């Protein structure tokens, strides 16, 4: 078990001037965009404003949330996070079908809770397991990564089912069960969903230091201690993403193939932008 | 896993395009060694008819029975390995010809091992060389792909073939080769064939029974009987 009490808090506090200086870096990037006519300055500006507003808001919200002691309120907050993540996961794919959001919701709830609660309750051993300081940020990391994986997996799945409809039909026509006809596409979709997290795991510590670990080190924590946390977090995210991708792909398979072993490709439609 | 085949009976079948009925009251009885040619105005739903029979598209009304069993009784994969639908344009997997021919034998409902000697014999019979086995299937001409698609179906020894305009994209030579292969199979092991064609000459040349869908076309909810 990792002892949460060992991390010291001796970070140098940041003032308004420091934040303004950081903004200067983005403004410089924006100026380059103007000079080179990349037309990215507007999007950069919007993204920067959103970053500031969203993070300030979440800072205040987290202060409030971390003071919560009622399990119902904490879980309600987690539920909100899951709903937002599901919506985002579903919105990112180019095609959709009726009920996709529900499947994403069920999958994220299951995979998110299983992995996060295992970490807070058993590995970190927070007392109680729903202590918001641990549960909320970890859940956030799990959801952020899972939704990325899930949206990639869904996008790939629906794309392939539409593009390879004839292939699937041909296999079904030659006596394949729906599982036999779909298996390659399902596997490929799950694989696509897992590429980002696998890539991250492959280079972690070599190319980049993960945000959470960097944060802890900046806060003055012993790097060896921060590494332990990071390993736990990476495994938690990898497990959640894998479960999430598999869950949402299998649910979709079950939804889009009928018991008569037909591919119901008509259920899939393009998202209206 | 060959199954004794007595007949494929299609009773009072309707074909839908979305919510709308486009064909109705279709009765077909297909016995071993028979070739039924389905003709009809273009766009009347000939392809959909075959797809509904094969169960690739949902059947709203009517009945399909293999011997006396429904596909639900037999299990859809087992039904479809006996009643094989072939797409109008051949569908090849992104793989070699050999892998394409072998693939159905991995399906649980098909069973049996892929017999490479038999595959080679059939390729030769269809005017192709053995070397083609190692070629990428999608790089071949449509005519060659069509023959491979037919061989792939014949290698699993189905009782019935549902052919959708099997020669529409082909030149005369390739057309003759396909027709020859089908006729041989019908003569040799009493394969039954339901073939959709817009080519009346082919229908006459080919079939033992014609079925003109013109009388089954439904417009504005009424049938032209």
């Amino acid at each position: 078990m990792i002892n949460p009490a060992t991390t010291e808090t001796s970070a140098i506090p940041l003032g308004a001037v420091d934040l303004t200086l950081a903004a200067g870096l983005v403004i410089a990037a924006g100026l380059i965009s103007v000079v080179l006519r990349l037309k990215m300055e507007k999007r950069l500006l919007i993204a920067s404003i959103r970053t500031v507003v969203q993070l300030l808001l979440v800072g205040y919200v987290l202060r409030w949330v971390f003071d919560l002691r009622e399990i119902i309120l904490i879980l309600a907050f987690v539920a909100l996070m899951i709903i937002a993540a599901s919506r985002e996961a579903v919105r990112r794919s180019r095609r959709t079908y009726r009920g996709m959001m529900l499947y994403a919701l069920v999958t994220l709830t299951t995979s998110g809770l299983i992995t996060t609660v295992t970490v807070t309750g058993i590995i970190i051993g927070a007392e109680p397991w729903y202590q918001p300081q641990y549960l909320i940020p970890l859940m956030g990391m799990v959801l952020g990564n899972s939704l990325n994986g899930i949206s990639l997996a869904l996008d790939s799945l629906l794309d392939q089912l539409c593009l390879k409809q004839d292939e699937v039909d041909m296999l079904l026509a030659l006596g394949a069960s729906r599982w036999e006809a779909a298996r390659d596409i399902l596997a490929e979709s799950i694989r696509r969903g897992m590429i980002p997290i696998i890539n991250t795991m492959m280079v972690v510590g070599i190319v980049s230091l993960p945000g959470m670990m960097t944060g802890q080190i900046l806060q003055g924590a012993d790097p060896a201690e921060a590494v332990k946390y990071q390993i736990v977090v990476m495994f938690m995210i990898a497990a959640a993403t894998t479960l999430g991708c598999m869950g949402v792909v299998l649910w979709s398979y079950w939804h889009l193939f009928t018991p008569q072993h037909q591919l119901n490709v008509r259920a899939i439609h393009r998202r209206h932008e | 896993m060959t199954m004794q085949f007595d007949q494929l009976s299609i009773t009072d079948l309707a074909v839908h395009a979305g919510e709308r009925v486009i064909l109705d009251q279709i009765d077909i009885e297909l016995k071993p060694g028979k070739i039924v040619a389905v003709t009809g105005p273009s766009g009347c739903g000939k392809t959909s008819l075959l797809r509904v029979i094969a169960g690739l598209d949902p059947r709203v009304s009517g009945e399909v029975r293999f011997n006396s069993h429904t596909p639900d009784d037999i299990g859809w994969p087992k039904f479809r390995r006996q009643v094989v639908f072939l797409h109008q344009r051949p569908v090849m997997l992104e793989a070699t010809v050999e892998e394409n021919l072998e693939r159905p034998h991995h399906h649980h409902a098909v069973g049996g091992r892929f017999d490479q000697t038999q595959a080679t014999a059939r390729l030769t019979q269809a005017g192709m060389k053995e070397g083609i086995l190692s070629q990428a299937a999608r790089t071949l001409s449509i005519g060659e792909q069509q023959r491979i698609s037919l061989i792939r179906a014949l290698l699993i020894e189905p009782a019935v073939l549902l052919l959708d305009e099997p020669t529409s994209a082909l030149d005369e030579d390739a057309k003759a080769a396909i027709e020859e292969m089908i006729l041989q199979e019908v003569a040799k092991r009493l394969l039954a064939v339901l073939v959709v064609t817009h080519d009346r000459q082919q229908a006459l040349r080919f079939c033992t029974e014609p079925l003109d869908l013109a009388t089954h076309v439904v417009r504005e909810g009424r049938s032209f009987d």
Side-chain angles (χ1 to χ4, degrees), chain A residues 164-167 169-178 180-181 183-184 259-263 266, chain B residues 51 55-58 76-77 80-81 84-85 87 91 93 103-104 106-110 138 152-153:
Chain A
K164 295 188 172 176
Q165 181 194 352
D166 278 350
E167 260 178 61
D169 256 2
M170 178 271 287
L171 293 172
L172 291 171
L174 288 165
S177 66
R178 52 184 166 169
E180 287 166 332
R183 193 173 43 204
D184 289 351
Q260 288 79 36
H261 300 261
Q262 300 156 339
L263 167 60
R266 288 188 196 96
Chain B
R51 292 183 58 88
L56 293 170
D57 285 340
W76 281 96
R80 289 199 196 107
R81 65 91 58 236
V84 169
F85 168 78
H87 288 73
V91 183
L93 299 171
R103 175 63 199 252
H106 296 303
H107 301 159
H108 180 73
V110 171
R138 288 186 183 170
R152 182 172 56 193

Side-chain angles (χ1 to χ4, degrees), chain A:
Chain A
M1 259 194 231
I2 298 167
N3 183 0
T6 55
T7 43
E8 297 166 43
T9 49
S10 56
I12 304 163
L14 296 179
V17 179
D18 306 312
L19 292 178
T20 315
L21 276 175
L25 294 174
V26 180
I27 291 169
L31 284 177
I32 294 173
S33 167
V34 173
V35 172
L36 296 179
R37 295 187 190 163
L38 301 177
K39 294 188 176 162
M40 287 301 291
E41 60 276 3
K42 199 175 152 197
R43 298 181 70 176
L44 193 60
L45 180 71
I46 294 173
S48 304
I49 293 173
R50 276 189 67 160
T51 305
V52 172
V53 174
Q54 284 165 203
L55 286 181
L56 281 179
L57 274 178
V58 87
Y60 285 111
V61 171
L62 284 181
R63 236 189 223 175
W64 172 76
V65 170
F66 286 178
D67 284 338
L68 292 179
R69 290 288 166 266
E70 298 281 329
I71 181 168
I72 294 292
L73 289 176
I74 296 165
L75 289 184
F77 192 78
V78 168
L80 276 180
M81 291 169 73
I82 294 175
I83 291 169
S86 317
R87 234 188 111 224
E88 191 58 29
V90 166
R91 251 171 35 145
R92 282 190 198 174
S93 71
R94 282 165 290 180
R95 299 171 209 263
T96 184
Y97 60 84
R98 268 176 83 100
M100 191 158 106
M101 164 89 187
L102 182 70
Y103 293 138
L105 193 71
V106 172
T107 309
L108 275 175
T109 308
T110 321
S111 60
L113 282 179
I114 288 175
T115 50
T116 315
V117 171
T118 305
V119 171
T120 60
I122 301 172
I123 300 175
I124 296 180
E127 282 289 340
W129 60 267
Y130 54 84
Q131 203 176 315
Q133 251 151 301
Y134 294 97
L135 185 65
I136 304 288
L138 290 175
M139 192 60 154
M141 276 194 274
V142 160
L143 290 177
N145 284 279
S146 303
L147 88 85
N148 200 16
I150 283 179
S151 64
L152 286 172
L154 278 175
D155 196 46
S156 162
L157 177 70
L158 300 182
D159 242 18
Q160 286 190 78
L161 286 179
C162 289
L163 297 175
K164 295 188 172 176
Q165 181 194 352
D166 278 350
E167 260 178 61
V168 173
D169 256 2
M170 178 271 287
L171 293 172
L172 291 171
L174 288 165
S177 66
R178 52 184 166 169
W179 178 253
E180 287 166 332
R183 193 173 43 204
D184 289 351
I185 292 179
L186 303 182
E188 174 63 16
S189 307
I190 295 172
R191 200 185 69 83
R192 291 248 183 112
M194 290 177 59
I195 287 176
I197 184 64
I198 298 285
N199 284 350
T200 309
M201 289 173 85
M202 288 295 193
V203 298
V204 68
I206 302 174
V207 178
S208 69
L209 288 183
M212 192 199 81
M213 202 171 114
T214 314
Q216 275 185 308
I217 294 172
L218 287 179
Q219 287 250 309
D222 173 9
E225 211 44 53
V227 161
K228 279 195 234 162
Y229 258 94
Q230 193 56 48
I231 290 173
V232 168
V233 166
M234 286 307 248
F235 285 173
M236 173 185 75
I237 290 173
T241 308
T242 311
L243 285 176
C245 290
M246 288 199 295
V248 85
V249 164
L250 292 177
W251 274 110
S252 303
Y253 157 75
W254 178 77
H255 183 89
L256 295 168
F257 282 83
T258 69
Q260 288 79 36
H261 300 261
Q262 300 156 339
L263 167 60
N264 183 14
V265 82
R266 288 188 196 96
I268 304 173
H269 50 87
R270 274 189 175 279
R271 180 179 301 290
H272 304 296
E273 292 299 337

